[in-house]
Amino acid sequence: MHKSDLDKIIRVDHAGELGAKWIYEGQLRWIKDPVIKSEIQHMYDQEMHHLNYFETLMRDRQVRPTALMPVWKWFGKTVGAVSAVLGTKAAMACTEAVEDVIDEHYAEQIKTLEQHRPNELDLIQTLKTFREDECNHRDAAAGYNHDPSVAKQIVKKIIKVGVKAAIKISKRI
Ligand SMILES: [Fe+2]
Ligand SMILES: [Fe+2]
């Protein structure tokens, strides 16, 4: 594995955690229910911890951030705000969809690193911990939303396609 491939991993994860921060910020601004708010606040706090880790790592290893930061910021805040304005169920469906993709994304990275960079023990262990956090977010969100409707499936599908595209683009740009 080339250094530039490792840089891509760090860059895309940093972009993703930033995206998560902005989505949750967008939601926190618009969600009224105090119980839901504190649930989202808890997720947000964990995302900030994830984000700080990648910011430090980028500085230490001199990896540049994605050039698309302003685009992702607009995108994340809009997705967060729109989902929250639509209500708790939509907000939680959004989290469920996003974290589902992130779960797979981290799993893939962990596998790649274990194969090609087994000496990156700290990074691998951290990704495992973060992945668990993301799965907990997904499961908590799913607990608020058992709606089996076609509308929910469509919304989730659209969000997933969007997140997957963002991951692909952020690796390169
Ligand atoms: Fe995260
Ligand atoms: Fe998350």
Side-chain angles (χ1 to χ4, degrees):
M1 183 190 238
H2 203 262
K3 181 188 181 291
S4 69
D5 290 319
L6 192 56
D7 287 359
K8 277 183 196 168
I9 287 182
I10 297 168
R11 179 175 311 119
V12 72
D13 289 354
H14 174 256
E17 297 298 347
L18 255 184
K21 168 188 137 89
W22 286 322
I23 291 175
Y24 288 131
E25 261 178 25
Q27 291 187 341
L28 283 169
R29 237 190 106 184
W30 294 96
I31 287 280
K32 298 271 178 308
D33 186 322
V35 178
I36 305 295
K37 235 186 157 137
S38 76
E39 178 84 65
I40 296 176
Q41 183 68 50
H42 170 68
M43 296 177 188
Y44 176 81
D45 294 343
Q46 288 188 322
E47 304 301 358
M48 288 305 291
H49 171 65
H50 301 169
L51 179 59
N52 287 336
Y53 174 83
F54 286 113
E55 297 220 308
T56 309
L57 199 60
M58 284 181 111
R59 231 172 294 133
D60 290 351
R61 302 193 182 196
Q62 297 180 322
V63 178
R64 68 161 178 83
T66 168
L68 292 171
M69 221 122 74
V71 181
W72 297 154
K73 182 171 186 175
W74 179 85
F75 198 62
K77 287 216 172 186
T78 305
V79 169
V82 169
S83 63
V85 168
L86 290 174
T88 301
K89 280 192 171 182
M92 290 303 182
C94 169
T95 297
E96 209 185 313
V98 172
E99 302 292 21
D100 216 21
V101 178
I102 302 305
D103 168 26
E104 268 174 45
H105 167 74
Y106 274 145
E108 251 171 56
Q109 283 189 341
I110 291 163
K111 218 171 105 191
T112 306
L113 288 169
E114 280 177 337
Q115 271 172 6
H116 302 286
R117 285 290 180 111
N119 55 327
E120 291 281 353
L121 282 178
D122 185 69
L123 180 59
I124 292 169
Q125 191 46 52
T126 305
L127 290 184
K128 285 182 179 170
T129 311
F130 289 0
R131 183 183 171 216
E132 261 173 49
D133 291 343
E134 314 297 11
C135 289
N136 288 335
H137 298 169
R138 178 193 56 210
D139 297 344
Y144 282 95
N145 194 347
H146 298 295
D147 177 7
S149 72
V150 178
K152 180 188 163 188
Q153 301 312 320
I154 292 173
V155 168
K156 278 179 66 181
K157 186 82 206 168
I158 292 171
I159 292 174
K160 282 186 175 189
V161 169
V163 174
K164 281 181 187 166
I167 289 175
K168 255 196 187 145
I169 298 167
S170 298
K171 277 184 200 165
R172 300 179 162 273
I173 305 174

